[in-house]
Amino acid sequence: MSNDRDEQSPNKRQNNHHPPETGGASNLPGQQNQPGNNQNNQSITPVSPSGQPGSVPGMMPAPYTPTPPAVPGEFSPLPPQEDFFAPAGPLQKVKGWTNKMAAIAGHTVQPPAPYIDRYRSSARRQDQLNAAERKRNRFRRYARVRKISRQMRLRKQQERNAARRTVVIILSVLLILILTSAFGSSAYGYSYYQQQQPRMERYANEQLPQMTRIYDRNNTLLYQAYDSNSKVGNGGRRLAVRYQDIPMVMQDAMTAIEDKNFWSNAGIDPLAIIRAGASSYGGASTITQQLIKNLTGDKDPSFNRKLNEAAMAIGLTQQFPKQKILELYFNVAPFGSQDAGVEIAAQDLFGLTSTCQPDQPCAPAISQLEYDQKTKKNDPLLGLARASLLAGIPNSPVSFDPTLGPTNKAAALARQKLVLQAMFTQGKYVDGKPLTNAMVKEAEALTAKMTFTPPKSIKLAPGFVDYVINQVETALGNGDANAGVNAFVTGGLNIQTTLDLNLNNYTQAAIQRHLYQADYQKTEGYTVVLKDNNNVNNGAVVVEDAKNGEILSMIGSANYYSSDRTVTGFFNAAVGARPPGSTFKPFDYATAFQMGWNPGIDLRDDRTYFPNGAQAGSAVPLTDDQADSMPTVYAPYDYQHTYQHKTLPIRLGWANSYNVPAIRAMQYAGVGNVLNTVKRLGITFGNTDGLGGLSWAIGSKDVSLLQMVGGYQAFANGGKRVAPQTVLNIWDNAGNVVYHYNEQKPPSSRVFSPQVAYQVTSVLTDEPSRAYEFTGDHDLSFADVDRNCAVSAVCDHQVAAKTGTTDSFRDNWTIGYTPDVVVGTWVGNSDNSPMNNVIGITGAAPIWHSVMERSMGWCNYSAQTQVNPTSDPSIDATDGIPCGNISLPFSKHPQYKFTVPSGLKVGMPAGLPGDAGVPDIMLNSN
């Protein structure tokens, strides 16, 4: 008990009729004389060196030292808190009381009055007087001792009564203040409660800020997004859990250390407030009050905040059951330096995982607190160890975070002992049995052996994840990605994507393998490292399911974390627009096929001057120099500025990527019709200038790899276009599905007839027809799987493909498909610097070949890469990329052959002279 009353009582009880001697009353224990002490009958209040009342003048309080840990396995009582006004000991206390009594008397004790004498003889009388005096003196001493003892007992009783009255008064005042604030006598407190009530209801109904998680199609976690700046519920990483998922041992541990009367109090604990005030160490807040503080984010150490907090706690207790309040507390309390809520802490500290599926609430990690990953069994004592460690953290989330180092771990273990001591003292049960010292020892031993590492951020398939985030944020923001950011990072969404992480890892490895390691150049017959020898530094790949549009893999750069300007890893080249070169030509020819052409029609490949915005009657250039200087004339070349100078069927001109025949096809079909075709395929151009001319027939306008792959998907799917899809399901932590993509019935639109789509495919699968340009290189076929595919267009393992190269070797492309899957690749440099003498078949095609075969279930890996194969280099070279465990919906039973639709025949184009073409696949007019 405080001694403030003792220090003031001498002044209050001074006898005005007997003023004290100079210097005032005797000093109380620990009180020093000060100039002017006790003047004008003023009470004495100790003053600290800083000038603040409440401590002894000239005396600094002893530094705070944490409670020493108990002896392992033993419960040690907590040491009493030091009271700076406590008397030094019994003797000093008695002495102090004696001095007080003297001060009250105000003078020294005088001897008694002399007796009335009768005559006696002098000797006898003297003896009698001496005996009587001795007797009287003895009785006087006894009487004074009894009087002093009686006064001391009375004083003690008075002080005990005064202490009780003080406690009652303080408690009554506190209750009056709180009740007044909570129930309306205080307009401010009631108004505050009314203002905050909707927010409390919103939080209670599972609208706490929660992190969003992104998974691949097999539910492998790719990324976690959260708002680290949120002031609500401590922000940070959080996954909300339900009360029924929190084990009883976790509940008992939490209430034992933080609020032992939680289940019975009204939201506040007045006695705890009194105890905390007397001890000066705080700790008066109940779990409900802590919940209010965490939810509001208000940590201002002011009386108003405490008053409002108490009012809210009472109101919250009246409005919601205790189970809901405890559930909210577990979800918002900080359980570590980075963790908000107990669920994330259980995952980070103990390696437990949650399982989330659509249409059902997540099975959280905290519900598995007793699960031993090594034995695959439940262990109640392991649950006790974990729960008691977790329960100690919210008191000081940083100090008691065991992942921050040995010092923090030691502090966390010491705090855990206090939790276990509280559980033991309060008679908690574990697995239906009373907690014993032996159980406590084992729990402490289990925790001491644990190792803790800081949580690591995770971002797998980073280019794809960035793309998905942008898509979801745009949807949440009604078309504005910035407006959807907050809803994304706080919405607690579970996003299952279309990506197969294992395939994506393989694709990333394929880019690095073919660009950064020695690779055999099949058309050239020697080995090079493309990065070093040809300045090829970057690459991108998109893999799409041909039937439902799902993106199975997306790689946006050779290294996402590279800052090299030729790579710029964070920039996603899969969605960035680049000129596609000759990979655009299938759209020219397909539009012409819809208008009656077929692959057998002959077209001339020669120097040709096409009008490029020139008016009718304009002069025609007579030389190449004149043509090059006339902006209204377009005179394209083939590769290496050459021409074939002959007439060729479309099949051969297209298969060998000659430019002039493709421009003739656009000229025949009409620029507007080709533009309409690509728009229906979802292709948009990064720059729309010049679309009135013919140059973009051979891929001079910027298009993204993702859109180009989406365009080819329509050919693979018999002419029906399905938009590229990246998300399968989105649901919240309660299992409520907010989005579902129907893989079996994807939305589609027909762009080409099945007959036109097959005509295009018949050309792109024709490996023998490519021999003019790509002799000795069969990367555009499955010749390593089926050798007949090197010499036959109708082999049993068909794949359609087209390459593309832009001016100055700035871009290499290869895009191809089977009936199951579409794969597109791009290589180049992010700073647009030119590569050195690299075309699509040597730059992008090797990557495309590896990824396409792996997507179809084939792996061409050898433990030691054959840099210079001895059998058939164009067929038998292995790629040396580890296969990984890849299982796609179609890879177990892939479809290698394209189905020929009805309505086609092999014949000559109708109405054309015999020398205007060769027999080929055409529409059957019958």
Side-chain angles (χ1 to χ4, degrees):
M1 177 175 293
S2 173
N3 291 316
D4 291 347
R5 206 165 35 252
D6 294 346
E7 296 174 12
Q8 296 175 359
S9 58
N11 290 329
K12 291 182 179 180
R13 288 191 291 267
Q14 283 181 4
N15 190 332
N16 293 331
H17 299 285
H18 302 278
E21 299 174 0
T22 303
S26 300
N27 297 327
L28 300 182
Q31 178 180 332
Q32 299 175 0
N33 283 327
Q34 295 291 327
N37 260 4
N38 204 25
Q39 294 179 3
N40 301 323
N41 274 349
Q42 293 180 352
S43 61
I44 302 171
T45 302
V47 180
S48 69
S50 62
Q52 298 297 322
S55 61
V56 178
M59 175 183 288
M60 292 296 293
Y64 169 73
T65 55
T67 302
V71 177
E74 297 290 341
F75 278 122
S76 300
L78 295 177
Q81 296 174 350
E82 184 176 354
D83 186 347
F84 295 114
F85 295 99
L91 294 178
Q92 289 83 348
K93 185 173 182 180
V94 172
K95 180 180 179 180
W97 279 103
T98 303
N99 290 336
K100 291 179 185 179
M101 299 299 294
I104 292 173
H107 55 82
T108 59
V109 179
Q110 300 297 321
Y115 290 96
I116 299 176
D117 294 335
R118 285 190 309 174
Y119 173 75
R120 296 287 189 275
S121 65
S122 58
R124 182 177 180 183
R125 185 177 180 215
Q126 186 63 44
D127 292 339
Q128 290 176 343
L129 287 175
N130 289 341
E133 183 66 25
R134 286 195 297 272
K135 186 176 182 180
R136 282 194 296 270
N137 288 342
R138 184 168 63 252
F139 287 140
R140 290 191 190 107
R141 287 196 299 270
Y142 291 157
R144 186 168 181 81
V145 169
R146 285 196 300 271
K147 182 178 181 181
I148 293 174
S149 178
R150 185 168 58 254
Q151 289 176 336
M152 291 178 64
R153 287 197 301 271
L154 179 61
R155 179 60 54 84
K156 289 180 181 180
Q157 183 63 38
Q158 290 174 343
E159 289 196 347
R160 283 195 292 268
N161 294 337
R164 292 191 186 98
R165 287 195 300 271
T166 302
V167 171
V168 171
I169 292 171
I170 295 175
L171 181 58
S172 300
V173 171
L174 179 64
L175 287 174
I176 290 172
L177 287 174
I178 293 175
L179 293 175
T180 298
S181 175
F183 297 111
S185 296
S186 168
Y188 175 75
Y190 181 76
S191 174
Y192 182 83
Y193 176 68
Q194 291 293 95
Q195 292 172 6
Q196 300 301 319
Q197 185 177 10
R199 181 163 59 166
M200 296 299 107
E201 292 178 347
R202 185 170 68 252
Y203 293 148
N205 288 284
E206 301 176 353
Q207 297 182 33
L208 284 168
Q210 300 182 58
M211 65 182 187
T212 289
R213 292 176 289 184
I214 300 177
Y215 303 89
D216 83 336
R217 65 185 304 111
N218 302 309
N219 291 322
T220 300
L221 183 63
L222 302 178
Y223 183 66
Q224 300 179 130
Y226 62 95
D227 183 10
S228 59
N229 298 318
S230 174
K231 295 182 179 180
V232 177
N234 294 299
R237 304 163 62 236
R238 176 191 293 106
L239 291 174
V241 295
R242 302 173 301 167
Y243 173 78
Q244 55 264 41
D245 291 324
I246 303 171
M248 183 55 67
V249 67
M250 185 70 244
Q251 299 180 39
D252 287 344
M254 200 76 253
T255 56
I257 191 64
E258 291 294 338
D259 188 358
K260 68 178 182 179
N261 297 318
F262 169 76
W263 295 105
S264 60
N265 64 40
I268 62 171
D269 190 342
L271 293 178
I273 297 175
I274 299 301
R275 289 194 301 268
S279 66
S280 303
Y281 285 110
S285 294
T286 63
I287 280 179
T288 311
Q289 289 175 275
Q290 294 178 48
L291 171 62
I292 298 296
K293 181 176 68 174
N294 288 329
L295 287 176
T296 60
D298 186 1
K299 298 177 173 60
D300 179 28
S302 66
F303 175 77
N304 283 338
R305 195 267 292 177
K306 281 289 187 181
L307 192 61
N308 292 332
E309 188 180 280
M312 287 295 299
I314 294 174
L316 201 66
T317 303
Q318 292 182 340
Q319 187 171 1
F320 297 104
K322 288 287 188 176
Q323 292 86 345
K324 191 64 181 179
I325 294 174
L326 191 59
E327 174 189 287
L328 284 170
Y329 178 83
F330 276 116
N331 285 326
V332 302
F335 282 84
S337 56
Q338 302 181 48
D339 300 339
V342 72
E343 170 65 9
I344 294 300
Q347 296 182 19
D348 289 346
L349 297 182
F350 311 126
L352 302 172
T353 58
S354 62
T355 303
C356 294
Q357 296 289 344
D359 297 319
Q360 56 184 327
C362 293
I366 192 65
S367 65
Q368 309 166 47
L369 211 55
E370 297 181 354
Y371 182 70
D372 189 331
Q373 296 97 318
K374 294 181 179 179
T375 64
K376 310 298 182 184
K377 297 179 181 179
N378 287 338
D379 182 352
L381 288 179
L382 179 61
L384 172 64
R386 289 169 170 172
S388 56
L389 182 72
L390 287 170
I393 295 176
N395 179 264
S396 182
V398 175
S399 300
F400 298 143
D401 186 342
T403 68
L404 298 181
T407 301
N408 296 71
K409 179 181 177 181
L413 295 179
R415 175 70 176 173
Q416 181 194 30
K417 293 179 184 294
L418 299 182
V419 176
L420 290 169
Q421 178 182 0
M423 295 180 71
F424 177 80
T425 303
Q426 297 169 32
K428 300 298 184 182
Y429 281 69
V430 175
D431 195 30
K433 302 174 183 178
L435 184 61
T436 65
N437 257 325
M439 297 166 69
V440 168
K441 291 179 182 179
E442 187 168 349
E444 292 177 351
L446 286 172
T447 315
K449 295 176 183 177
M450 295 179 184
T451 57
F452 305 99
T453 57
K456 296 181 180 179
S457 60
I458 179 174
K459 193 173 186 180
L460 306 179
F464 175 78
V465 164
D466 287 346
Y467 181 71
V468 170
I469 290 175
N470 182 263
Q471 282 193 309
V472 176
E473 289 177 345
T474 301
L476 293 173
N478 296 318
D480 183 354
N482 291 329
V485 171
N486 184 68
F488 176 79
V489 298
T490 64
L493 302 176
N494 296 282
I495 303 172
Q496 183 186 31
T497 67
T498 59
L499 186 95
D500 186 285
L501 180 61
N502 292 330
L503 176 62
N504 206 68
N505 291 339
Y506 180 91
T507 303
Q508 185 78 68
I511 294 175
Q512 296 179 351
R513 159 67 185 87
H514 289 291
L515 296 187
Y516 300 157
Q517 298 180 27
D519 217 13
Y520 185 71
Q521 297 291 291
K522 298 165 186 173
T523 58
E524 306 296 336
Y526 53 79
T527 298
V528 299
V529 177
L530 289 176
K531 179 181 184 298
D532 299 333
N533 299 97
N534 302 88
N535 194 37
V536 186
N537 296 280
N538 201 15
V541 176
V542 172
V543 181
E544 180 177 340
D545 190 306
K547 293 182 171 61
N548 55 33
E550 295 174 8
I551 302 301
L552 304 173
S553 176
M554 176 188 285
I555 301 296
S557 64
N559 182 358
Y560 180 83
Y561 300 100
S562 173
S563 58
D564 189 317
R565 61 185 179 85
T566 62
V567 177
T568 314
F570 65 87
F571 177 76
N572 191 343
V575 296
R578 308 278 298 198
S582 294
T583 58
F584 189 85
K585 293 175 182 176
F587 308 130
D588 303 327
Y589 289 114
T591 306
F593 289 174
Q594 290 188 112
M595 303 177 71
W597 279 19
N598 69 64
I601 291 179
D602 282 346
L603 296 175
R604 183 76 182 175
D605 181 35
D606 214 335
R607 181 67 162 169
T608 305
Y609 303 123
F610 295 95
N612 189 36
Q615 299 295 322
S618 299
V620 176
L622 302 178
T623 64
D624 289 346
D625 291 340
Q626 289 180 358
D628 292 339
S629 64
M630 297 174 65
T632 57
V633 173
Y634 178 49
Y637 297 93
D638 289 337
Y639 175 59
Q640 293 183 336
H641 282 221
T642 61
Y643 303 97
Q644 297 303 308
H645 300 292
K646 60 183 178 181
T647 300
L648 298 167
I650 286 177
R651 179 176 293 275
L652 289 179
W654 182 359
N656 292 279
S657 204
Y658 302 144
N659 289 332
V660 175
I663 297 173
R664 291 185 184 277
M666 175 181 275
Q667 190 179 40
Y668 166 77
V671 171
N673 289 330
V674 175
L675 183 60
N676 183 57
T677 295
V678 298
K679 284 183 177 179
R680 293 169 65 197
L681 292 170
I683 293 175
T684 58
F685 296 101
N687 181 2
T688 58
D689 295 340
L691 289 179
L694 295 172
S695 64
W696 60 280
I698 55 176
S700 63
K701 292 299 178 183
D702 292 352
V703 184
S704 73
L705 175 62
L706 179 63
Q707 289 186 352
M708 289 296 295
V709 169
Y712 275 59
Q713 177 272 332
F715 297 134
N717 196 34
K720 295 176 68 174
R721 188 230 176 194
V722 179
Q725 184 69 26
T726 60
V727 176
L728 292 176
N729 295 290
I730 301 178
W731 68 96
D732 61 20
N733 287 331
N736 302 310
V737 177
V738 297
Y739 173 81
H740 171 70
Y741 180 69
N742 191 338
E743 301 176 82
Q744 305 305 317
K745 296 181 180 180
S748 63
S749 59
R750 182 164 292 283
V751 180
F752 309 109
S753 67
Q755 293 77 19
V756 168
Y758 185 78
Q759 285 178 309
V760 171
T761 298
S762 71
V763 176
L764 298 181
T765 57
D766 193 347
E767 181 71 3
S769 292
R770 286 191 278 259
Y772 290 95
E773 191 68 29
F774 304 131
T775 302
D777 193 324
H778 295 290
D779 273 349
L780 301 183
S781 73
F782 287 153
D784 52 345
V785 178
D786 182 352
R787 288 181 180 262
N788 288 330
C789 294
V791 295
S792 173
V794 291
C795 66
D796 291 334
H797 294 79
Q798 294 179 313
V799 59
K802 184 70 188 79
T803 63
T805 304
T806 62
D807 292 343
S808 303
F809 303 106
R810 297 184 188 276
D811 305 277
N812 279 180
W813 297 67
T814 300
I815 307 176
Y817 56 89
T818 69
D820 292 321
V821 65
V822 187
V823 176
T825 60
W826 167 88
V827 298
N829 296 310
S830 292
D831 62 353
N832 206 37
S833 58
M835 299 174 286
N836 300 327
N837 197 32
V838 176
I839 59 176
I841 191 65
T842 58
I847 300 172
W848 175 88
H849 183 83
S850 294
V851 175
M852 173 58 81
E853 287 195 338
R854 192 68 193 93
S855 299
M856 292 294 290
W858 176 263
C859 184
N860 192 23
Y861 171 76
S862 174
Q864 183 177 359
T865 302
Q866 298 181 29
V867 176
N868 190 9
T870 57
S871 53
D872 187 344
S874 65
I875 296 177
D876 295 328
T878 56
D879 56 25
I881 306 170
C883 302
N885 183 20
I886 300 172
S887 180
L888 301 174
F890 50 78
S891 58
K892 291 183 179 180
H893 304 286
Q895 181 181 347
Y896 279 103
K897 295 199 71 172
F898 291 93
T899 301
V900 181
S902 60
L904 292 174
K905 68 176 182 179
V906 176
M908 288 289 294
L912 294 179
D915 61 353
V918 296
D920 210 312
I921 299 173
M922 60 181 295
L923 293 176
N924 188 350
S925 57
N926 295 332

